[in-house]
Amino acid sequence: MRTSRPRGRPLLRTSYAEDLALLDTPAKRVSTAVLLVAALALPFLLADDLLQLLAVGCVAAIGAIGLGLVTGYAGQVSLGHAFFLGIGAYTAAALSGDPDGRVIGLGVTDIALWLPAAGLVAAAAGVLVAPLATRLRGLYLAIVTLGLVFIGQHVFNEWSALTGGAGVGRPAATLEFLGRPLATTDATATRDQKLFWLMLALLVVFAVAARNLARSRIGRAFTAIRDRDIAAGVIGVNLPRYKTVAFAVSSFYAGCAGALLYTVTGFFDPGSFSLLLSVQYIAMVLIGGAGTISGAIAGAFFITLLPRLTRELQAWVPFISTQPNEVPNVFQVETILYGVLIIVFLIFEPRGLFGLWVRARNYWKAWPFSY
């Protein structure tokens, strides 16, 4: 007969179901509910330009979660995330594009079709790269995945029938579901409000799926490989299989994020998928907190909102220009900040923003005995 848990003992669990629960304490359930309600209310409180930026942040968080799975959980360093984002973006754009247009288009405009397809094509590319992960690790694997970015840039620049060509580009995928546009202004809501709600809903779905994966047998195998792959192989973890799964799942998330990323702006070109984009996603994972889903989300929003903050620097530092052809300018400051923030967090708080949150939470949980 199961006994009831004593009140006031949230960490005392009497069953495996309680121990494996997604939100295993009342505080987590309440805080998650409050956070979701606040996020849903944001479109009524913020201007459309900020909502558009937050919608991009939601999509970036999906891609950061994918990179976090292969790097933070499985310990496989990948610098080629921009390559998989590009595959997803062009797959979705080609599927939903106009068949009579100047670039490849198949006219499949439903998001229920082109979004999974973009993820699956990117996942297939990840599976092709995965055998390298079984032979290489650390710096060698990082260099190999870095090469994917330059291969992708060359292919995207030269395949003008698909990409539209360098400096020209093509329209992004069309946001429709069952023939009904999802991002149009009407009497009920503006385009940016609908975009934010849609991207927020997709982020919740992808985040919950990743969190459940991390708590599963596959996720425990990822963690064992990250901590010590030789020891994991000795205890029976199939290293080639789980490294392949890690790259496939990460690439699937990247493909879906790439497919959605430019639907907000409606247009993109091959130059969008450069090494800087990969560095931005590495910064999201490291600054947010490697090995945590919530850390990847926090890091994605932090990096997405960073350019908006640097645009305000000129009011405080007049010699920083907003013109790209002048030195120094805000774009150079942004690039420098990515590197500086990565270094600062790795040295002073390796757990990132998630680690700062844990410190603050533990301090107040133990207050007034928080020494």
Side-chain angles (χ1 to χ4, degrees):
M1 179 178 177
R2 179 181 171 183
T3 58
S4 60
R5 183 176 61 191
R7 298 186 64 183
R9 301 289 299 277
L11 298 180
L12 178 63
R13 304 181 177 103
T14 57
S15 69
Y16 285 112
E18 290 180 352
D19 189 51
L20 295 175
L22 186 63
L23 301 173
D24 54 355
T25 65
K28 288 183 180 180
R29 290 190 285 271
V30 172
S31 59
T32 301
V34 170
L35 188 61
L36 285 175
V37 171
L40 290 172
L42 281 179
F44 302 107
L45 304 174
L46 300 178
D48 283 351
D49 60 333
L50 278 175
L51 288 178
Q52 187 178 99
L53 192 61
L54 290 175
V56 173
C58 290
V59 178
I62 295 174
I65 291 171
L67 182 59
L69 287 173
V70 73
T71 299
Y73 279 93
Q76 306 302 299
V77 181
S78 175
L79 297 179
H81 214 54
F83 173 70
F84 300 109
L85 288 164
I87 289 177
Y90 284 114
T91 299
L95 285 174
S96 68
D98 183 5
D100 299 323
R102 60 181 178 83
V103 289
I104 296 174
L106 302 179
V108 182
T109 58
D110 200 313
I111 189 174
L113 297 175
W114 58 252
L115 183 59
L120 290 173
V121 173
V127 170
L128 294 177
V129 175
L132 300 175
T134 64
R135 294 176 173 267
L136 304 171
R137 60 181 176 180
L139 178 63
Y140 300 101
L141 180 59
I143 295 300
V144 168
T145 55
L146 178 62
L148 294 176
V149 177
F150 297 106
I151 293 173
Q153 278 192 299
H154 177 74
V155 172
F156 297 152
N157 285 329
E158 297 300 323
W159 196 357
S160 57
L162 172 67
T163 66
V168 180
R170 65 168 297 157
T174 305
L175 287 173
E176 291 186 7
F177 181 66
L178 299 178
R180 301 182 61 180
L182 297 176
T184 56
T185 300
D186 54 30
T188 59
T190 65
R191 175 184 181 272
D192 292 310
Q193 287 176 329
K194 290 183 177 181
L195 268 176
F196 173 75
W197 281 322
L198 173 63
M199 301 308 175
L200 177 64
L202 290 172
L203 172 59
V204 171
V205 171
F206 279 96
V208 171
R211 187 70 185 90
N212 284 327
L213 179 68
R215 297 184 305 130
S216 68
R217 178 182 179 182
I218 295 174
R220 292 192 294 272
F222 287 173
T223 305
I225 294 172
R226 176 195 65 194
D227 293 342
R228 189 64 175 173
D229 56 350
I230 296 177
V234 169
I235 64 175
V237 176
N238 190 326
L239 298 183
R241 174 186 175 187
Y242 286 108
K243 287 183 178 181
T244 301
V245 170
F247 268 93
V249 174
S250 173
S251 302
F252 179 84
Y253 271 68
C256 292
L260 294 167
L261 190 59
Y262 297 99
T263 57
V264 178
T265 57
F267 201 84
F268 66 104
D269 67 1
S272 304
F273 307 102
S274 62
L275 177 59
L276 179 59
L277 185 61
S278 286
V279 172
Q280 287 175 341
Y281 274 88
I282 288 289
M284 291 175 192
V285 173
L286 295 180
I287 291 173
T292 62
I293 303 301
S294 54
I297 296 173
F301 279 101
F302 183 87
I303 294 298
T304 302
L305 294 173
L306 186 63
R308 181 64 178 258
L309 298 176
T310 56
R311 298 296 191 277
E312 307 297 329
L313 281 177
Q314 193 179 34
W316 303 94
V317 188
F319 65 85
I320 295 180
S321 174
T322 58
Q323 302 299 321
N325 57 345
E326 297 181 7
V327 178
N329 57 64
V330 292
F331 307 102
Q332 294 171 331
V333 173
E334 288 172 20
T335 306
I336 293 171
L337 279 177
Y338 294 141
V340 170
L341 287 171
I342 290 174
I343 294 171
V344 169
F345 272 96
L346 285 178
I347 294 175
F348 296 104
E349 184 48 85
R351 294 182 298 174
L353 295 174
F354 180 79
L356 294 177
W357 157 246
V358 170
R359 286 174 182 267
R361 183 189 64 187
N362 291 342
Y363 178 89
W364 289 108
K365 283 176 68 175
W367 189 88
F369 307 105
S370 46
Y371 47 83

